[in-house]
């Protein structure tokens, strides 16, 4: 049976005239399920502050809360701590404000490391908004 454009159009109009299925869950939360799973700036700030602590990530955090990409980069750079952009442990670490780019599906913050010599360095830490559980996705060293 061959459908004419009239028959296809009539079928579409019939479907549009049907009432939409209702769901109490959909009515209670109009946000798509994907959006509810995205991390907020506050989530990322808590994660990075906990992850970096005062002196750098723990062995557990390094193995469980880091992307495979960063693990691979670390394996290629044994003389440098990729997560800290430095060869040794800092005296203190501070995480700056988090920026979230929903359209890019990423959030980031500048992390400042303070050293015993009185100097400081910065790098940018990135988190994917949809990582489950939340993990550090990438680190870009300042220079």
């Amino acid at each position: 049976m061959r459908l004419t454009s009239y028959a296809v159009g009539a079928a579409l109009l019939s479907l549009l005239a049907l009432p939409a299925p209702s769901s109490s869950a959909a009515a209670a939360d109009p946000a798509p399920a994907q959006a509810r799973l995205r991390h907020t700036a506050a989530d990322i700030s808590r994660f990075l502050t906990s992850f970096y602590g005062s002196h750098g990530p723990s062995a557990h955090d390094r193995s469980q809360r880091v992307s495979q990409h960063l693990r691979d980069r670390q394996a290629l750079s044994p003389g440098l701590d990729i997560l800290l952009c430095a060869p040794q442990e800092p005296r203190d670490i501070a995480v700056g404000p988090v920026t979230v780019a929903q359209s890019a599906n990423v959030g980031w913050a500048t992390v400042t490391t303070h050293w015993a010599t009185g100097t400081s360095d910065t790098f940018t830490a990135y988190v994917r908004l949809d990582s489950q559980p939340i993990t550090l996705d990438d680190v870009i060293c300042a220079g």
Side-chain angles (χ1 to χ4, degrees):
M1 175 176 148
R2 184 170 175 262
L3 290 177
T4 65
S5 60
Y6 172 77
V8 173
L12 287 174
L13 284 175
S14 298
L15 288 173
L16 291 174
L18 293 173
S22 64
S23 165
S24 60
D29 188 0
Q34 181 78 2
R36 287 192 309 270
L37 296 176
R38 288 178 171 237
H39 306 299
T40 65
D43 295 335
I44 295 169
S45 181
R46 279 189 298 276
F47 167 75
L48 290 174
T49 301
S50 167
F51 180 85
Y52 280 108
S54 295
H55 303 290
S58 67
H60 175 267
D61 286 344
R62 289 173 182 277
S63 69
Q64 301 298 313
R65 300 173 77 189
V66 173
S67 70
Q68 186 61 49
H69 165 72
L70 282 173
R71 286 189 214 114
D72 293 345
R73 280 183 53 202
Q74 185 61 67
L76 295 172
S77 304
L80 177 69
D81 186 340
I82 295 294
L83 303 180
L84 293 169
C85 296
Q88 72 271 0
E89 180 180 295
R91 183 178 50 118
D92 192 32
I93 299 176
V95 176
V98 172
T99 301
V100 171
Q102 292 288 339
S103 61
N105 196 36
V106 69
W108 65 90
T110 298
V111 178
T112 304
T113 50
H114 301 277
W115 303 97
T117 60
T119 61
S120 62
D121 291 315
T122 61
F123 59 89
T124 306
Y126 295 87
V127 174
R128 285 177 41 130
L129 300 183
D130 62 354
S131 61
Q132 296 297 328
I134 191 168
T135 56
L136 185 64
D137 192 55
D138 203 0
V139 172
I140 304 298
C141 301

